[in-house]
Amino acid sequence: MDHRGAEFRAVVRSVLHDLPALFGASSPVAVFPSSGTGGWEAALVNLLAAGDRVLAYDNGFFAAKWAGLARRLGLDVSVIAGEWGLPADPSEVEAVLRADAHHEIRALLLVHNETSTGVVSDIMRIREVMDSLQHEALLIVDAVSSVGAMPVHHDAWRADVTITGSQKGLMLPPGLSLLAVSENARRAKGSRNLGVGYWDWDPVLEAAESGEFPFTPASNMFVGLRAALDLILAEGHKAVHARHRRLANAVRQAVLAWGLSPLCPIESARSDALTTIRVPDELDELVVRSSLLDRFQLTIGGGLGRLEGMLLRLGHLGDIDELMVISMLAAIEMDVPRHWPLMNSGGVDAAMASLVDASD
Amino acid sequence: MDHRGAEFRAVVRSVLHDLPALFGASSPVAVFPSSGTGGWEAALVNLLAAGDRVLAYDNGFFAAKWAGLARRLGLDVSVIAGEWGLPADPSEVEAVLRADAHHEIRALLLVHNETSTGVVSDIMRIREVMDSLQHEALLIVDAVSSVGAMPVHHDAWRADVTITGSQKGLMLPPGLSLLAVSENARRAKGSRNLGVGYWDWDPVLEAAESGEFPFTPASNMFVGLRAALDLILAEGHKAVHARHRRLANAVRQAVLAWGLSPLCPIESARSDALTTIRVPDELDELVVRSSLLDRFQLTIGGGLGRLEGMLLRLGHLGDIDELMVISMLAAIEMDVPRHWPLMNSGGVDAAMASLVDASD
Amino acid sequence: MDHRGAEFRAVVRSVLHDLPALFGASSPVAVFPSSGTGGWEAALVNLLAAGDRVLAYDNGFFAAKWAGLARRLGLDVSVIAGEWGLPADPSEVEAVLRADAHHEIRALLLVHNETSTGVVSDIMRIREVMDSLQHEALLIVDAVSSVGAMPVHHDAWRADVTITGSQKGLMLPPGLSLLAVSENARRAKGSRNLGVGYWDWDPVLEAAESGEFPFTPASNMFVGLRAALDLILAEGHKAVHARHRRLANAVRQAVLAWGLSPLCPIESARSDALTTIRVPDELDELVVRSSLLDRFQLTIGGGLGRLEGMLLRLGHLGDIDELMVISMLAAIEMDVPRHWPLMNSGGVDAAMASLVDASD
Amino acid sequence: MDHRGAEFRAVVRSVLHDLPALFGASSPVAVFPSSGTGGWEAALVNLLAAGDRVLAYDNGFFAAKWAGLARRLGLDVSVIAGEWGLPADPSEVEAVLRADAHHEIRALLLVHNETSTGVVSDIMRIREVMDSLQHEALLIVDAVSSVGAMPVHHDAWRADVTITGSQKGLMLPPGLSLLAVSENARRAKGSRNLGVGYWDWDPVLEAAESGEFPFTPASNMFVGLRAALDLILAEGHKAVHARHRRLANAVRQAVLAWGLSPLCPIESARSDALTTIRVPDELDELVVRSSLLDRFQLTIGGGLGRLEGMLLRLGHLGDIDELMVISMLAAIEMDVPRHWPLMNSGGVDAAMASLVDASD
């Protein structure tokens, strides 16, 4: 397909038309060829200038990485050091924003679904905190692993930017970052900002109208996005979210039946996109993961950063169904007891019971 | 690939070199573009002439179809009416052969693994019967669904022809029939036989040497055979058989745990390539099969011929692993109780336990 | 796709609905998993019994092979020894049929487009000869390399069987033979015929109604047939034939410009599906073919049987367009003069001029 | 493939090991998920700070775009306004650098093979100019459409950065920018530079050792790079370049034979990766391009920027062979005269003669 031809322009236009609904957004979505890190940077440099003060909530590996990037970009970053494994605590955010009497904090960086811990933060509650304090900081949300799997409410949150990537709920290889950008955010981009080159979202957002990109677009990725959106639209946004909820519940029941502990103690904050399990002291995370890979060609995530060696992360997002989840659980149930005999059986049974209940 | 070129000839030669081991044969294998029915016909017309007497053992849908074909080809077919769901009974064969004082029976037709019932007959025992009676009937064995999944012993059985197809243990689409042909069988092909045209195996068997087929060969199928043989040789014949045994045992444990009955009462005669279950009276076979197809995109076989409506057939042969078997069982365990509440749970658990035991 | 499921039955039905138009037939088409040789055998054994007299016209390698098969099947075959490189001569047929005062010739075997010589015989003229003599022999036509490339007129010819294969104009791998069978032919199949087993076309023709095959069908091949028919129907039968004519004319102009001789001296009898060229004495056919294969990955056919070493055969049928033909000709024009300096240039030019003329 | 697993790390390492040779570089190559624009930006921000003075040579659409990006990033950009269609003139560069007595110009931006004009600049000559003046400006070279098609001499040029993308000579979809970075350039990256976030090449260059990327890498693209490098290494760098030269010469002969004018009057500066032709006044560029697309599914580039409507650009780089080039030329020779009857025939002939000469 000619990436400057009419056929490709039609694909681009239809993709850009259908993307906002994934973010719960009425505003357009900017697409950059980049890794997810590029999405973080794009949001920061279009809205902020060197020395601007931002508040980041660090409750996981990716949240911490994002704060580090902001600091390297020359921003004055305050960090609320949350616990890795808990959601962002609105009252902590409230305390910091209340103390910011002169509203010097220009932006708040929050991760919706922290991929390293499997924990979902309640962005709406934090928006309410901001509202109650009449704090006008920009709200920038990383929804990399929630868009396409869990409800995302860019408009309702009144988020300024909501960020995702191609490689999670959109079921594509990595290579694109996607940002829903509010009207307010577009106005906030002043001349003094850093986003003047590659990351300048103005020409990219204009592509939503013209279908004519300011640079050679990754045409194969746009064709992939079209296919991913077709899958999601055929199933329906709500049905996609319900499926992820149903599968996640099944996995959580299996974990409890095995006598293992979820990382996050707060049930309502556990992610529907992945499940994280504390690794018992007697068990070596690497042994489990390489054993599952060798024996079943099954890739299970491990702990990242300071959680290294302490976590198993079971992904269940994207184009996944009940039998794929049961397969993953069966592999664990058949293999882990060889390394940790204390594990109970019954996890697969509990998951099947959960799925049966959910389908009645 | 040019089907008259050197590269394709090399593929043909290597395939024909590696095929006999799948049959436990030292003699060459004839390959015909045809369905499995063509394999039956090829064996009959190369060895027999109109009016020749043959003995067929009917213990299933495919055995019966084969006997019918033999009759239509003008052979004088005697049938031992075995029970559909039991293996061929050597003593019945013995009685008929013993009564054939003048050795008028020119050939004995046996199905090794009857795909419609999931029952394996003990070909070796029947060969011993023939030997003890010094009966010189030709022994023609249908091993369509056992080659590539279970041990097949063309040489040890002193079979004259052992027949298979491309679409079972060889993991390809249908389109080829393959016949291991003994030296004795090649000598037995006299001028009076019917196999003079398409099914004439002489030029086809010569292709094993020259790699030059007497007709336009299905070159894509030969490339597929090469890939299938590579998979089987990389795993090892014995390991392939052991895997099928291990997976079949797991399925059988699940069936028992569910409180369902295998069709075949004789444990040692149950197939490692597929498992057949009697459908309880209260359950509609078609409802189960269409429900599994709709909900899980899972295709389960049903009863054929006079067993229609009475059977579920669970296939587990070819390029299949533990998690695929668990998935199939989980689908059944989650779905069938909606139609038949008497079914016990615990089948998946039993299968996992069986697999864990087998891997220790 | 489940080969006994509803989805596959629908594919089979739609394929069987659309196939007859390719043959110019209103009668149904029987499909057999087999090579093209199987198609020849199916036609013979359904219509004839051992000892029946048939007349074959041998004007090429495949025509001769077919006659040989008929003889091996026990038919009493008279052969008109035509010249390899000329079409069947209606007056020769007339002479033989006229001499057959008692109408003992039960069938006439004709090849429409002889793939070994690139010569088309005028079946209609021969039908007229039969009519004028009121000779009631069955008319069996091999249209293996014309169906899907050139107009085929099963009904207008009043052919009894018209045979093709999957691997030529249908653009699939080898593996299926397809036979349009007239009402008259179905009636002619008496109980004494040989077609009682695999080749029995009655149950296969009934599949046109039920979509339920009498044997495991090559489901992937039916899916392929559906795709091939979709391509042909989208372009239109007439447009497909016109394209083959246009491309063939271009190739023929190139051959003349090169100073080479077509095998067939009669212009109107040259095939639109392939072009055959006499190899000059000074040139080694094998050297040309292997040089084109090595240098351009281009496969060119050679002479078969008694024409071995004397012919180049350039195929131009199926999913082929102007630029593919120009590529093939350019390869020849750039390579052959290295082996045969007498060859003129200008062939590609002449072909382009021919294509430009045809598109005006 | 697990993008944090051992297998993927091995692919990354082998790719990063083999990439430098494509650039004629001994120094490592940084790979960024981004469009080619990102490659330009990465080079600039790692080496320069806001307000730094750079000299850009504008002799084409992409050169001009790069200069514009540099300006938007806050650099003080002087532009030598070359002619679009000519190579960079070393004497003009010499004049500007000589006038820069205090060596305030920190970097020189040159495009090796300008994709919009098909013109190659002689980077070595310009390096010699810099040397003769002892000017220490950094030398940054865009080799987006020359790497993988033409000799690139990062080391010999003593370039500081040489930039390419995945979508040209590397034959992949767009999505990666690749930068060979000299030792001198790595030292030049001071703390005051802009390249502190996504574009920071330090962690990316370290990946060449560890195979552990600082961000989620586009794993499918690395697998693609491995395949592309395997193709190039199997053919050999020199043979790849010779092939592009041979094909380009053939295209140039065709253009001359048609009576059309190459854009670039200087023979030695015409690109081996694409050929640009001036569109005659009587001919509409868009009509030609859409006619070729409709009739032959052939995509031909047009003029960009101020050359819009004035140019045809014929690409001939990547995985392309003689017959593909002949096909492209034949399509033009058969189609363009319908729109512009003044065009001579004989182009394909001339191209074939050129290829034949080259292969002798």
Side-chain angles (χ1 to χ4, degrees):
Chain A
M1 202 185 289
D2 177 13
H3 71 254
R4 293 188 189 277
E7 193 187 355
F8 179 61
R9 267 200 302 275
V11 169
V12 167
R13 258 195 295 266
S14 82
V15 163
L16 293 174
H17 177 271
D18 290 340
L19 277 174
L22 281 177
F23 295 80
S26 52
S27 42
V29 170
V31 181
F32 292 96
S34 80
S35 70
T37 307
W40 290 340
E41 180 153 331
L44 297 174
V45 299
N46 276 285
L47 291 174
L48 301 162
D52 277 357
R53 201 172 153 212
V54 304
L55 176 63
Y57 198 108
D58 169 6
N59 66 328
F61 180 77
F62 291 102
K65 260 189 94 168
W66 190 13
L69 175 72
R71 195 168 286 123
R72 286 202 307 284
L73 289 170
L75 303 173
D76 176 11
V77 184
S78 304
V79 168
I80 300 175
E83 192 171 336
W84 287 21
L86 288 181
D89 180 345
S91 65
E92 288 185 88
V93 175
E94 184 170 8
V96 175
L97 291 184
R98 189 182 299 277
D100 178 35
H102 300 294
H103 289 199
E104 288 174 349
I105 294 171
R106 290 267 304 150
L108 178 53
L109 315 188
L110 293 174
V111 173
H112 180 219
N113 185 67
E114 170 60 54
T115 310
S116 71
T117 61
V119 170
V120 186
S121 288
D122 186 342
I123 306 297
M124 199 65 226
R125 273 290 297 123
I126 293 174
R127 163 51 72 192
E128 287 160 8
V129 162
M130 295 172 75
D131 285 353
S132 69
L133 297 172
Q134 295 185 298
H135 199 295
E136 282 150 10
L138 296 159
L139 176 60
I140 311 181
V141 181
D142 170 326
V144 168
S145 54
S146 48
V147 165
M150 289 179 277
V152 169
H153 302 293
H154 177 80
D155 281 358
W157 294 338
R158 269 166 295 121
D160 287 290
V161 188
T162 304
I163 306 160
T164 196
S166 50
Q167 77 277 17
K168 298 283 184 186
L170 287 167
M171 303 168 282
L172 296 177
L176 295 180
S177 60
L178 304 100
L179 296 84
V181 179
S182 73
E183 266 308 302
N184 186 51
R186 294 187 75 170
R187 279 191 305 270
K189 176 170 184 290
S191 58
R192 66 187 197 95
N193 294 330
L194 298 164
V196 291
Y198 189 79
W199 303 118
D200 186 0
W201 63 33
D202 287 333
V204 180
L205 289 166
E206 282 156 22
E209 272 81 58
S210 69
E212 191 77 77
F213 257 72
F215 41 70
T216 309
S219 45
N220 58 323
M221 291 296 276
F222 268 87
V223 173
L225 279 179
R226 185 63 266 161
L229 286 164
D230 287 345
L231 276 180
I232 290 170
L233 292 173
E235 185 176 358
H237 289 290
K238 284 194 178 168
V240 168
H241 299 156
R243 171 169 54 84
H244 281 86
R245 168 62 52 95
R246 197 166 59 241
L247 298 178
N249 280 336
V251 173
R252 293 190 273 257
Q253 292 305 315
V255 171
L256 295 177
W258 288 332
L260 286 164
S261 304
L263 176 65
C264 177
I266 303 170
E267 267 193 64
S268 62
R270 293 178 193 149
S271 171
D272 289 346
L274 79 160
T275 293
T276 51
I277 311 173
R278 289 178 190 279
V279 175
D281 290 345
E282 306 84 353
L283 186 55
D284 184 334
E285 178 210 296
L286 284 178
V287 166
V288 173
R289 292 171 60 206
S290 75
S291 178
L292 289 168
L293 185 61
D294 286 355
R295 190 168 159 198
F296 297 112
Q297 289 75 55
L298 182 69
T299 297
I300 296 285
L304 297 171
R306 77 177 77 134
L307 292 173
E308 196 177 328
M310 301 164 62
L311 221 55
L312 293 175
R313 293 185 300 134
L314 315 186
H316 34 78
L317 93 164
D319 186 21
I320 192 175
D321 65 20
E322 295 175 324
L323 298 186
M324 291 155 92
V325 161
I326 293 295
S327 283
M328 175 177 69
L329 298 175
I332 294 170
E333 186 159 330
M334 289 193 283
D335 197 59
V336 174
R338 302 187 336 170
H339 314 295
W340 188 59
L342 295 176
M343 190 171 118
N344 299 325
S345 61
V348 170
D349 259 10
M352 289 196 293
S354 168
L355 292 171
V356 167
D357 278 359
S359 70
D360 284 346
Chain B
M1 200 186 289
D2 178 14
H3 70 253
R4 293 189 188 276
E7 194 186 354
F8 179 62
R9 267 199 302 274
V11 169
V12 167
R13 259 194 296 266
S14 82
V15 162
L16 294 175
H17 178 270
D18 290 339
L19 277 175
L22 281 177
F23 295 79
S26 53
S27 43
V29 170
V31 181
F32 291 96
S34 80
S35 69
T37 306
W40 290 340
E41 179 153 332
L44 297 175
V45 299
N46 276 286
L47 290 176
L48 301 162
D52 276 357
R53 202 171 153 209
V54 304
L55 175 63
Y57 199 109
D58 168 7
N59 67 328
F61 180 78
F62 291 102
K65 261 189 91 169
W66 191 13
L69 175 71
R71 196 168 286 126
R72 286 203 305 285
L73 289 170
L75 303 173
D76 175 11
V77 184
S78 304
V79 169
I80 300 176
E83 192 172 337
W84 286 22
L86 289 180
D89 180 346
S91 65
E92 289 184 88
V93 175
E94 184 170 7
V96 176
L97 292 184
R98 190 183 297 275
D100 178 37
H102 301 293
H103 288 200
E104 289 175 349
I105 294 173
R106 289 266 304 150
L108 176 54
L109 315 188
L110 293 175
V111 173
H112 180 219
N113 185 65
E114 169 61 54
T115 311
S116 70
T117 61
V119 170
V120 187
S121 289
D122 186 342
I123 307 297
M124 199 65 227
R125 273 291 295 122
I126 293 173
R127 163 51 72 192
E128 287 160 9
V129 162
M130 295 171 75
D131 285 353
S132 70
L133 299 171
Q134 294 185 298
H135 199 294
E136 282 149 12
L138 297 159
L139 176 59
I140 311 181
V141 181
D142 170 326
V144 168
S145 53
S146 49
V147 164
M150 290 179 277
V152 169
H153 303 293
H154 176 82
D155 280 359
W157 295 337
R158 269 168 295 124
D160 287 289
V161 189
T162 304
I163 306 162
T164 195
S166 50
Q167 77 276 19
K168 299 284 183 184
L170 286 167
M171 305 168 281
L172 296 177
L176 294 180
S177 59
L178 305 100
L179 296 84
V181 178
S182 72
E183 266 308 303
N184 185 53
R186 294 187 75 170
R187 279 191 304 269
K189 177 171 183 290
S191 57
R192 68 190 196 93
N193 294 332
L194 298 164
V196 291
Y198 189 80
W199 302 118
D200 186 359
W201 63 32
D202 287 333
V204 179
L205 288 166
E206 282 156 22
E209 272 81 57
S210 70
E212 191 79 74
F213 258 72
F215 41 69
T216 310
S219 44
N220 58 323
M221 292 295 277
F222 268 87
V223 172
L225 279 179
R226 186 62 265 160
L229 286 164
D230 287 344
L231 277 179
I232 290 170
L233 293 173
E235 186 177 358
H237 289 289
K238 283 194 180 166
V240 168
H241 299 155
R243 172 168 53 84
H244 281 86
R245 169 61 53 94
R246 198 165 59 243
L247 298 177
N249 280 335
V251 173
R252 293 191 272 256
Q253 292 306 314
V255 171
L256 295 177
W258 289 331
L260 286 164
S261 305
L263 174 65
C264 177
I266 303 169
E267 266 195 65
S268 63
R270 292 179 193 148
S271 171
D272 288 347
L274 80 159
T275 293
T276 50
I277 311 172
R278 289 177 190 278
V279 176
D281 291 344
E282 307 82 355
L283 186 56
D284 184 335
E285 179 210 295
L286 284 179
V287 166
V288 172
R289 293 171 61 205
S290 75
S291 179
L292 289 167
L293 185 61
D294 286 355
R295 191 167 160 199
F296 296 111
Q297 288 75 54
L298 182 68
T299 297
I300 296 285
L304 296 172
R306 76 178 77 133
L307 293 173
E308 196 177 327
M310 299 165 61
L311 221 56
L312 293 174
R313 292 185 301 134
L314 315 186
H316 35 77
L317 93 165
D319 187 20
I320 192 173
D321 65 21
E322 294 175 325
L323 298 187
M324 291 155 92
V325 161
I326 294 295
S327 283
M328 175 176 70
L329 299 175
I332 294 170
E333 185 159 332
M334 290 194 282
D335 198 60
V336 173
R338 302 187 337 170
H339 314 295
W340 188 58
L342 295 176
M343 190 173 118
N344 299 326
S345 60
V348 171
D349 259 12
M352 290 195 294
S354 168
L355 292 171
V356 167
D357 277 358
S359 70
D360 283 346
Chain C
M1 199 186 290
D2 177 13
H3 70 253
R4 293 188 189 276
E7 194 185 353
F8 179 62
R9 267 199 302 274
V11 169
V12 167
R13 260 195 294 265
S14 81
V15 163
L16 293 175
H17 178 270
D18 290 340
L19 278 174
L22 281 177
F23 294 80
S26 52
S27 42
V29 170
V31 181
F32 291 95
S34 80
S35 70
T37 306
W40 290 340
E41 178 153 333
L44 297 175
V45 299
N46 276 284
L47 290 175
L48 301 162
D52 277 356
R53 202 173 153 210
V54 303
L55 175 63
Y57 198 109
D58 169 7
N59 67 329
F61 181 77
F62 291 102
K65 259 188 95 171
W66 191 12
L69 176 71
R71 196 168 285 125
R72 287 202 305 286
L73 289 170
L75 303 173
D76 175 10
V77 184
S78 304
V79 169
I80 299 176
E83 193 172 336
W84 286 21
L86 289 180
D89 181 345
S91 65
E92 289 184 87
V93 176
E94 184 170 5
V96 176
L97 291 185
R98 192 182 297 274
D100 179 35
H102 301 294
H103 288 199
E104 289 174 349
I105 294 172
R106 289 266 306 148
L108 177 52
L109 315 189
L110 293 174
V111 173
H112 180 219
N113 184 67
E114 170 60 54
T115 311
S116 70
T117 61
V119 170
V120 186
S121 288
D122 186 343
I123 307 297
M124 199 66 226
R125 274 290 296 122
I126 294 174
R127 161 53 71 191
E128 287 160 10
V129 162
M130 295 171 74
D131 286 353
S132 69
L133 298 171
Q134 295 186 296
H135 199 295
E136 281 150 12
L138 297 159
L139 176 59
I140 312 181
V141 182
D142 170 325
V144 168
S145 54
S146 48
V147 164
M150 289 180 277
V152 169
H153 302 294
H154 176 81
D155 280 359
W157 295 338
R158 268 167 296 124
D160 287 290
V161 189
T162 304
I163 306 162
T164 196
S166 50
Q167 77 276 18
K168 298 284 184 184
L170 287 167
M171 304 168 281
L172 296 178
L176 293 181
S177 58
L178 305 100
L179 296 85
V181 178
S182 72
E183 267 307 303
N184 185 52
R186 294 186 76 170
R187 279 192 304 270
K189 176 171 184 291
S191 56
R192 68 190 195 93
N193 294 331
L194 297 164
V196 291
Y198 189 79
W199 303 118
D200 185 359
W201 62 33
D202 287 332
V204 179
L205 288 166
E206 282 156 22
E209 272 81 57
S210 70
E212 191 79 76
F213 258 72
F215 40 70
T216 309
S219 44
N220 58 323
M221 292 295 276
F222 268 88
V223 173
L225 278 180
R226 184 64 265 162
L229 286 164
D230 287 345
L231 277 179
I232 290 170
L233 293 174
E235 186 177 357
H237 289 289
K238 285 194 179 166
V240 167
H241 299 154
R243 172 167 54 84
H244 281 86
R245 168 63 51 96
R246 198 165 58 242
L247 299 177
N249 280 335
V251 173
R252 293 191 272 255
Q253 292 305 315
V255 171
L256 295 177
W258 288 331
L260 287 165
S261 306
L263 175 65
C264 178
I266 303 170
E267 266 194 67
S268 63
R270 292 178 194 148
S271 171
D272 289 345
L274 80 159
T275 293
T276 51
I277 310 173
R278 288 177 191 280
V279 175
D281 290 345
E282 307 84 355
L283 186 55
D284 184 335
E285 178 211 296
L286 283 179
V287 166
V288 173
R289 292 170 62 205
S290 76
S291 179
L292 289 168
L293 184 62
D294 285 355
R295 190 168 160 199
F296 297 112
Q297 288 74 54
L298 182 69
T299 297
I300 296 283
L304 297 172
R306 77 177 77 135
L307 293 172
E308 196 177 326
M310 300 165 61
L311 221 55
L312 294 175
R313 292 185 301 134
L314 316 186
H316 34 79
L317 93 165
D319 187 20
I320 192 174
D321 64 21
E322 295 175 325
L323 298 186
M324 291 155 93
V325 161
I326 294 295
S327 285
M328 175 176 70
L329 298 176
I332 293 169
E333 186 159 330
M334 290 193 284
D335 198 60
V336 173
R338 302 187 339 171
H339 314 296
W340 188 58
L342 295 177
M343 190 173 118
N344 300 327
S345 61
V348 170
D349 259 10
M352 290 196 294
S354 168
L355 293 171
V356 166
D357 277 357
S359 70
D360 283 345
Chain D
M1 202 186 289
D2 178 13
H3 70 252
R4 293 188 188 278
E7 194 187 353
F8 179 62
R9 268 200 303 274
V11 169
V12 167
R13 259 195 295 264
S14 82
V15 163
L16 293 174
H17 178 270
D18 290 339
L19 278 174
L22 281 177
F23 295 80
S26 52
S27 43
V29 170
V31 181
F32 292 96
S34 79
S35 69
T37 307
W40 289 341
E41 179 154 332
L44 297 174
V45 300
N46 276 285
L47 290 174
L48 301 162
D52 277 357
R53 202 172 152 209
V54 304
L55 175 63
Y57 198 108
D58 169 6
N59 66 329
F61 180 77
F62 291 103
K65 260 188 93 168
W66 190 13
L69 175 72
R71 196 168 285 123
R72 286 201 307 283
L73 289 170
L75 303 173
D76 175 11
V77 184
S78 303
V79 169
I80 300 177
E83 192 171 337
W84 287 21
L86 288 180
D89 180 346
S91 66
E92 289 184 87
V93 175
E94 183 169 8
V96 176
L97 291 184
R98 189 182 299 276
D100 178 35
H102 300 293
H103 289 200
E104 289 174 350
I105 293 171
R106 290 265 305 148
L108 177 52
L109 315 189
L110 293 174
V111 173
H112 181 219
N113 184 67
E114 170 60 54
T115 311
S116 70
T117 61
V119 170
V120 185
S121 289
D122 186 342
I123 307 296
M124 198 65 226
R125 273 291 296 124
I126 293 174
R127 162 52 73 192
E128 287 160 9
V129 163
M130 295 172 74
D131 285 353
S132 69
L133 298 171
Q134 295 185 296
H135 199 296
E136 284 150 11
L138 297 159
L139 176 59
I140 312 181
V141 181
D142 170 326
V144 167
S145 53
S146 48
V147 165
M150 287 180 277
V152 169
H153 302 292
H154 177 81
D155 281 358
W157 295 337
R158 270 166 296 122
D160 288 290
V161 188
T162 304
I163 306 161
T164 197
S166 49
Q167 78 276 19
K168 299 282 184 188
L170 287 168
M171 303 168 281
L172 297 178
L176 294 181
S177 59
L178 305 99
L179 296 84
V181 179
S182 72
E183 266 308 302
N184 185 52
R186 294 187 76 169
R187 280 192 303 271
K189 176 170 184 289
S191 58
R192 67 188 196 94
N193 293 331
L194 298 165
V196 291
Y198 189 79
W199 303 118
D200 186 0
W201 64 32
D202 287 334
V204 179
L205 289 165
E206 282 156 22
E209 273 81 58
S210 69
E212 191 79 76
F213 259 72
F215 40 71
T216 310
S219 44
N220 59 322
M221 291 296 276
F222 268 88
V223 173
L225 279 179
R226 186 63 266 161
L229 287 164
D230 287 345
L231 277 180
I232 290 169
L233 293 173
E235 186 177 357
H237 290 288
K238 285 193 178 168
V240 168
H241 300 155
R243 172 168 54 84
H244 281 86
R245 168 62 53 95
R246 198 165 59 241
L247 298 178
N249 280 335
V251 173
R252 293 190 274 257
Q253 293 306 315
V255 171
L256 295 176
W258 289 331
L260 287 164
S261 306
L263 175 65
C264 178
I266 303 169
E267 266 194 65
S268 63
R270 293 178 194 149
S271 172
D272 289 346
L274 79 161
T275 293
T276 51
I277 310 173
R278 288 178 191 279
V279 176
D281 290 345
E282 306 83 355
L283 186 55
D284 184 335
E285 177 211 297
L286 284 179
V287 165
V288 173
R289 293 170 61 207
S290 74
S291 179
L292 289 168
L293 185 61
D294 286 356
R295 190 167 159 199
F296 296 113
Q297 289 74 54
L298 182 69
T299 297
I300 296 285
L304 297 172
R306 77 177 77 134
L307 293 174
E308 195 177 328
M310 300 164 61
L311 221 56
L312 293 175
R313 293 185 301 134
L314 315 186
H316 34 78
L317 92 165
D319 186 20
I320 193 173
D321 64 21
E322 295 174 324
L323 298 186
M324 291 155 91
V325 161
I326 294 295
S327 283
M328 175 176 70
L329 299 175
I332 293 170
E333 186 160 331
M334 289 193 282
D335 198 59
V336 174
R338 303 188 335 171
H339 315 296
W340 188 59
L342 296 176
M343 191 172 118
N344 300 326
S345 61
V348 170
D349 259 10
M352 289 196 295
S354 168
L355 293 171
V356 166
D357 278 357
S359 70
D360 283 346

